Amino acid sequence: MKRARSLNANTDENSQRVPSDLKKTNYLRMKNFLIILTSTLLLSGISKQCEAQRDYRNGYIITLQQDTIRGLILHTGVANISKECVFKKNAQDNSVKYKPFDITGFRFDEGKYYISKELPLRSGAKSFFAEYLIKGKSNIYYCCDEDDHYFIEIENGKIYELTEPEKIFGDENTGSYYAPKLYTNKLKVLMKDCNNIDKEIDNTILTHASLIKLSKKYHEGVCDSEKCIIFERKLKQRKYNYGFDASTSLSKLHFGKYVESQFSTVVSAGGHISISPVLFSDEKLSLQLDLIIQKHSNYTLINKSKENPVRVIYKNIDYYINSDRVVQYSPTYFLVKKLNVNMNILAVKLPLSFNYTFLISRLRPYLGIGFSNMLIFNQNKDFIYTETYDKYKKSIPTFLIGGIGNGGIKYRIKNNKDILFGFSYERLFNTEINQIQRVSNEQIYFKIGYNF
């Protein structure tokens, strides 16, 4: 029997000790650095002044003298925009707030149109900037205070509210709420001069699209001399943007419950395509698909457990990674505290994420979240983690899947092209339920790129 003997300091670099306190300190430093970097990236794009954070869009106001003044109008929620218009002639000017009847109205270039209107609420008449949905033989208006309100105006100039308050039917303690469709009776009376419209009214609900459709049909049924005007938001054309980027990342591998690597540096390169708008014609929301090629090399493996040495094979030598001892039992049998391994991984990733961009002049912070994956084309066959190798015939399964979070800043230069500085956090894993056979990879990216 061969006697176990202690390894001296020169035996192998794999036997060098890494104090646990130092590892924790390095991890905390890296975590704090990421938090500081994230905050800096986001705050640098919005710290100029509070006004610059807000969503101003091209449009114009109409004065009481019917003059048109072009500029930027603050786009806010429906409740706020029904009460005031915030306007400035250009990005550098101070904003001016207008209440209903301070101006005749205002309109965004994308289509939405608001006019000063006194509307008959059930609690009494009140002034709003009413959204003008359609102009014709029947005008439809919309406004919001605490609730949504829809109104119709027939040619006689009288305005009727279509929205009805909720009423309780049944038991008061467990009763269900039901919004009665009394507005259909109003519409049938107001539109009685149009034949064959009752069925359309019965199918109408209180939404922008449904009321515009009904009003348009009514106009076409009673007037053939002029067309109605629909003030809908114009849907923006879908745009496809391409780009490329390069990144360096801190990567960490996890094998089962006990073995993990220290963070290692990985270099990546690739390209991406983004599509916007994705939903609701909002150009701030985009869908992005990346193609990333990565090369992983040296990792240092350690054992998180203080009790269970874990066996791995590297270059035909058995290593039992533990937390407190360094022993050589034979030329092919070592007990070590850490093990340096060249993983030699070549991988391709295809992350798919939704990104939200804050449109602040040229400096545009963005945040995103999505799904990611890793397809491994090559790995070092001299490294064997026995638990996964016995099942997959590979130490790292070919396919990993998980989630990704993005953030950063795009700087617009000219011709709608951007330079981007960003970061991502990604966590990928195989779909193994058995924790001993589960392999995962987490990465923190820091990247620079260019958008065409």
Side-chain angles (χ1 to χ4, degrees):
M1 179 182 295
K2 297 183 180 180
R3 186 193 304 176
R5 55 191 175 91
S6 297
L7 292 174
N8 59 39
N10 298 321
T11 301
D12 197 311
E13 63 177 349
N14 290 328
S15 65
Q16 296 174 7
R17 180 174 183 178
V18 179
S20 60
D21 289 345
L22 179 59
K23 289 183 287 184
K24 290 179 181 178
T25 301
N26 289 338
Y27 179 77
L28 289 173
R29 283 177 180 172
M30 182 186 62
K31 184 177 179 182
N32 291 336
F33 173 74
L34 182 61
I35 293 171
I36 293 170
L37 178 65
T38 303
S39 302
T40 303
L41 286 171
L42 293 178
L43 291 176
S44 64
I46 57 177
S47 61
K48 184 178 179 182
Q49 50 179 334
C50 292
E51 195 72 12
Q53 301 177 33
R54 311 172 80 182
D55 186 7
Y56 281 92
R57 301 186 182 183
N58 292 325
Y60 58 87
I61 61 171
I62 305 169
T63 68
L64 297 177
Q65 294 74 35
Q66 302 304 307
D67 294 324
T68 298
I69 303 175
R70 292 199 57 80
L72 300 170
I73 303 171
L74 180 62
H75 188 274
T76 60
V78 290
N80 290 328
I81 210 165
S82 293
K83 296 173 183 175
E84 70 176 13
C85 169
V86 182
F87 174 82
K88 55 185 178 180
K89 290 185 178 180
N90 56 61
Q92 289 71 40
D93 280 358
N94 293 326
S95 60
V96 180
K97 296 181 180 180
Y98 295 102
K99 299 294 184 183
F101 293 103
D102 290 342
I103 56 175
T104 299
F106 60 93
R107 188 175 186 183
F108 293 98
D109 285 354
E110 62 193 18
K112 290 210 172 196
Y113 182 30
Y114 298 82
I115 62 171
S116 296
K117 207 77 178 173
E118 189 176 81
L119 299 174
L121 300 179
R122 301 179 75 85
S123 58
K126 191 174 179 181
S127 295
F128 290 96
F129 282 120
E131 184 180 349
Y132 209 157
L133 300 184
I134 182 170
K135 179 181 180 181
K137 292 299 180 181
S138 62
N139 302 326
I140 303 293
Y141 305 107
Y142 165 80
C143 75
C144 179
D145 48 12
E146 294 179 355
D147 300 300
D148 295 329
H149 300 276
Y150 288 94
F151 301 86
I152 185 170
E153 180 182 30
I154 303 298
E155 280 196 310
N156 61 14
K158 190 170 182 180
I159 299 174
Y160 302 87
E161 182 174 4
L162 299 175
T163 315
E164 296 287 344
E166 286 185 334
K167 293 183 179 179
I168 301 176
F169 291 85
D171 186 271
E172 289 188 358
N173 296 321
T174 61
S176 58
Y177 290 84
Y178 172 72
K181 293 181 66 174
L182 299 180
Y183 64 88
T184 57
N185 295 330
K186 290 183 183 179
L187 289 170
K188 287 177 182 178
V189 172
L190 295 170
M191 295 181 172
K192 62 184 179 181
D193 54 337
C194 180
N195 297 324
N196 303 320
I197 201 169
D198 284 4
K199 185 176 180 181
E200 187 75 29
I201 291 174
D202 289 333
N203 294 327
T204 298
I205 58 177
L206 295 182
T207 64
H208 284 37
S210 185
L211 288 170
I212 288 173
K213 180 182 177 183
L214 174 66
S215 182
K216 185 173 183 288
K217 184 168 184 177
Y218 171 73
H219 181 94
E220 292 170 349
V222 298
C223 179
D224 56 8
S225 61
E226 58 182 349
K227 292 184 177 180
C228 58
I229 302 173
I230 300 174
F231 301 108
E232 288 182 296
R233 180 179 182 182
K234 297 173 184 175
L235 296 179
K236 292 183 176 292
Q237 274 194 325
R238 189 158 288 165
K239 295 187 296 184
Y240 298 84
N241 296 316
Y242 306 87
F244 62 87
D245 48 63
S247 65
T248 182
S249 62
L250 298 174
S251 176
K252 190 173 190 178
L253 291 169
H254 301 262
F255 295 91
K257 292 177 64 176
Y258 305 119
V259 177
E260 67 179 14
S261 75
Q262 296 174 344
F263 277 99
S264 176
T265 302
V266 175
V267 176
S268 310
H272 59 263
I273 177 173
S274 63
I275 306 170
S276 67
V278 180
L279 300 172
F280 313 117
S281 190
D282 188 348
E283 66 273 22
K284 293 178 289 187
L285 186 64
S286 62
L287 180 66
Q288 179 166 313
L289 176 66
D290 289 81
L291 171 65
I292 302 171
I293 301 174
Q294 287 191 329
K295 176 70 174 176
H296 300 240
S297 297
N298 297 316
Y299 283 87
T300 300
L301 303 182
I302 59 175
N303 189 345
K304 295 183 291 183
S305 169
K306 294 184 178 180
E307 300 176 356
N308 302 306
V310 178
R311 179 186 179 220
V312 299
I313 301 171
Y314 185 50
K315 295 182 179 180
N316 296 319
I317 298 176
D318 283 303
Y319 291 95
Y320 285 81
I321 306 173
N322 71 111
S323 62
D324 59 356
R325 287 184 297 162
V326 179
V327 180
Q328 179 181 350
Y329 290 98
S330 76
T332 59
Y333 181 8
F334 289 83
L335 191 67
V336 295
K337 293 181 182 179
K338 69 173 186 175
L339 180 66
N340 293 327
V341 176
N342 183 357
M343 293 294 181
N344 196 27
I345 297 171
L346 178 63
V348 172
K349 296 183 176 183
L350 291 168
L352 182 66
S353 60
F354 286 95
N355 293 330
Y356 187 89
T357 302
F358 300 87
L359 303 179
I360 306 173
S361 62
R362 289 190 173 188
L363 212 54
R364 302 180 172 195
Y366 70 91
L367 292 171
I369 191 169
F371 303 97
S372 189
N373 52 74
M374 178 190 285
L375 187 62
I376 298 175
F377 288 93
N378 183 69
Q379 58 184 288
N380 193 343
K381 296 179 181 178
D382 288 337
F383 169 72
I384 296 175
Y385 173 61
T386 54
E387 298 294 343
T388 53
Y389 193 88
D390 291 343
K391 180 173 183 178
Y392 298 100
K393 303 307 176 187
K394 296 180 180 181
S395 296
I396 304 175
T398 302
F399 186 70
L400 305 179
I401 191 169
I404 187 169
N406 305 310
I409 286 182
K410 302 173 187 175
Y411 181 75
R412 177 137 296 183
I413 41 180
K414 58 181 181 179
N415 299 326
N416 292 327
K417 295 179 173 58
D418 301 310
I419 297 174
L420 68 89
F421 304 90
F423 67 90
S424 301
Y425 176 79
E426 178 185 70
R427 184 71 182 254
L428 305 175
F429 48 86
N430 64 331
T431 55
E432 180 59 57
I433 297 176
N434 185 346
Q435 290 189 11
I436 298 296
Q437 295 177 329
R438 185 176 300 167
V439 177
S440 65
N441 175 230
E442 60 178 310
Q443 290 192 46
I444 303 168
Y445 293 85
F446 304 93
K447 62 184 176 182
I448 183 171
Y450 183 80
N451 291 334
F452 297 100

